[in-house]
Amino acid sequence: MAPSAATLVEAPLQSTVENIETNFQPFYVLHKASSRKNSRKSNLCGKSRKRTKLSPSGPNGIENLDDEEPDGSQLEHLRMECLELVWSKLETTIKDVLRDTNVKVFDDICRWVYESFAAIRSSGIPSSSSASRPFPAFTRAECKVLFTGLVLTKNMEVVDDLLTFEELGYHLKSHGCHVASLSSQELSAKSSIGGCIRSLLRQLLKVTVDAADMFILASWYREQGYYENPVVVIIEDIERCCGSVLSDFIIMLSEWVVKIPIILIMGVATTIDAPANVLRSNALQQLCASKFILGSPAERMEAVVEAVLLKHCCMFSIGHKVAVFLRKYFLNQDGTLTSFIRAMKIACVQHFSMEPLSFMLARLLVEEENMDGNCASFLEVLPKHASDLLSDSRYSLVEGTDNNLGNILSELKRWRKKWSIVVLCLYQVGKFGKVQLLDLLCEALDPQLFKPITSENSSRLQQEQGTSFSSSYELQYQFSSRKDGYICQVIRKVRDLPAEFLHQVLMSWKKITRCVPEIHQNVKDLLLAFKLGNGKSSEKDIADLSKRHASRNGLFVKNSKSVMEKAESFLNSLVSEHMRPVECIPFHELICFKDVRKLQLALIGDPRRRIQVDLLEFQKIIKCTCCSENINSLLPCAHDSTIMYSLAQEHGDLINLHDWFQSFKRVVSHPQAKGNHRTKQCSTPKKRKDKPTVESKSDASIQARFCTAVTELQIAGLLRMPSKRRPDYVQRVAFGL
């Protein structure tokens, strides 16, 4: 299971008693525990009820839910298991995509590291007597050059670069390098240069050393016989480091570079001139810099969107409003890919927590991955609990369909495959017009652009073409073109493509449509017409097209126009027949998350409203017997902050402290009868009259509780403390929900 998906469903760890005073947690509405006498009585009364029969478990830890009727907890358990399966697949896909986008740059960096290491070793290996001395070797000034790689990340937020440099470290370690990473906190004025050295020793020697001495590192390198492997130090973000500390650190490394062949890699978020703005001149003179450029955040975003939302890694999808919100959220967060991935994770969690039939995604995922027989029992459990839920009225049925689960899933799978192919084919053309994939995706998911066809036209088309039900299933909607839209721009762009670019597009279409034979055959026909060119061009001419620039226009002048018209017609047919948005598909609720309001609240949040709801509707969170039976009345067993804020609803924007205190005192001093907990099962032969017991509470203790509750409400941002002009009033800050 993916650890990141598991953390969403695990309960928060409890703090130990020793660090309660220093562990600052968010405010929660707490409930007072009942007295020990009552708990003992309730335990005696409920002994017989606690003897529950455990249901047998399967070999994989999955309960055999077919022996009894499924309840909410069992279905929730299935959804959580499916959530872990789906998100682990998504997370693995995202990491693989990000690694693949940087693998070429990583190979260039690794090659440069060993070239720099060979240049350092060209000056000779220090002798044993020189290497054993606890100070740097005395060499020429040109031998003290520190080879430095400046990695341009093109990202203002370092949060996206943490994973990039972590993957770079793994890549260099796999090629025999010794790698240590330093963050901006370790290169701050507070840590100083001693903190940098201790961090290097801790990462390379794998032990904690109190002394900050570079001779310890030099002795370790010499004794282990690592003269064939370089030492690479990665600094994630040079702009966030303290300039004086980093300058001293660079000068010190250059002094030891003969004994310890250290190569420096620094991340630069802005421009190549950033080191000159941060470092001192004497430190800059020690650097021999090389430049490496990573992909931009937009390029990485498009790669992630293509792999997660278009290719067939899993069937999870999002609605149009959710896609538009995610695009705005990505742009407003300075283009951080981490924020987009976090939003996708929350959307996935929200979908599986809200949709009753979302656990059916596990069946599609297991079937696509061809997993072993350990998941067979899990697949058998799913359909047995989906049949009853499919009859729900909120799942819209198409005329002629039934509630057969296999047919529903196969239709959704077939739709997803063809829809993804259409969007990817459009994107291959849109690359030449600088159309972003996220913009194209938002328009492809818009249900307003697909108007339903009338029943007369639909039946006429079905009779003319002799289509089956599955084909008429796709002809119920028609794409209504918008001239300024991205889809129309892409379709028009096909006419303006040069011959060599059109050939590239056709080759990419051939690769994309390989999984759908009928579409793939049309692409092959287009490619064949392009290659033949009225019989005057051969495949050898196509292969040598880029080398013969002078004859390029003569090869395709006669047939390029007709092929472009055919390609444009092909795109039009793909869009009109196969690119129906997910919200127009029956049973799309199984795979699609479209509640943008819940996602927006989870990401942006409304903390003040959430605090008010928790204080006023605490019964839904606590779920105790006494409070749930008396919803409209305040009980002294409730938390003081809850009582105080509920009483504050009776006042306006100004609350008189004396009246508020008297109301609070009246509630907490109210006697609470203990005899209500007695039941017939725990009655004793000896009858005695139960009298309500009233705890003696002094005014001082009630005033202390009152002051504490007022302070908590002030910290929560719901109250403003009394002013000097009106010391007997507090002001309410938040009104309404």
Side-chain angles (χ1 to χ4, degrees), residues 429 481-497 568 571-572:
V429 182
S481 60
R482 195 172 60 190
K483 294 183 179 180
D484 59 340
Y486 294 104
I487 296 178
C488 291
Q489 292 180 21
V490 170
I491 294 176
R492 291 195 302 266
K493 185 65 179 178
V494 180
R495 309 174 190 171
D496 305 329
L497 286 178
E568 182 182 357
L571 274 184
N572 277 318

Side-chain angles (χ1 to χ4, degrees), residues 508-579:
S508 62
W509 286 358
K510 182 181 178 182
K511 184 178 180 181
I512 292 171
T513 60
R514 192 173 300 168
C515 56
V516 181
E518 58 269 23
I519 301 178
H520 185 63
Q521 184 60 42
N522 295 334
V523 175
K524 289 173 65 177
D525 294 342
L526 278 175
L527 192 58
L528 181 61
F530 179 85
K531 289 182 177 181
L532 293 179
N534 289 331
K536 294 186 178 181
S537 60
S538 62
E539 294 191 14
K540 184 178 180 181
D541 295 329
I542 300 295
D544 298 336
L545 181 62
S546 59
K547 299 180 181 179
R548 296 186 294 161
H549 184 275
S551 60
R552 179 182 303 161
N553 296 329
L555 285 174
F556 305 98
V557 66
K558 294 184 178 181
N559 200 43
S560 60
K561 185 176 181 180
S562 61
V563 174
M564 290 178 182
E565 292 176 354
K566 291 180 180 179
E568 182 182 357
S569 177
F570 171 72
L571 274 184
N572 277 318
S573 63
L574 283 183
V575 171
S576 60
E577 294 178 8
H578 303 298
M579 205 180 72

Side-chain angles (χ1 to χ4, degrees), residues 4 10 46 108 154 161 173 213 240 243 258 273 289 292 305 343 376 387 420 442 487 493-494 503 523 555 613 638 686:
S4 59
E10 290 178 356
D108 294 340
K154 301 180 182 179
D161 302 329
K173 286 180 181 178
D213 193 353
R240 296 176 182 267
V258 176
D273 299 330
F292 303 95
V305 170
S387 58
S420 302
C442 291
I487 296 178
K493 185 65 179 178
V494 180
H503 179 256
V523 175
L555 285 174
V613 171
K686 183 178 179 181

Side-chain angles (χ1 to χ4, degrees), residues 175-204:
H175 288 77
C177 301
H178 306 286
V179 182
S181 299
L182 295 178
S183 62
S184 57
Q185 287 80 7
E186 293 171 326
L187 286 164
S188 61
K190 182 178 180 180
S191 299
S192 70
I193 194 172
C196 304
I197 299 175
R198 280 188 287 268
S199 180
L200 289 180
L201 295 175
R202 183 175 62 253
Q203 296 182 57
L204 295 175

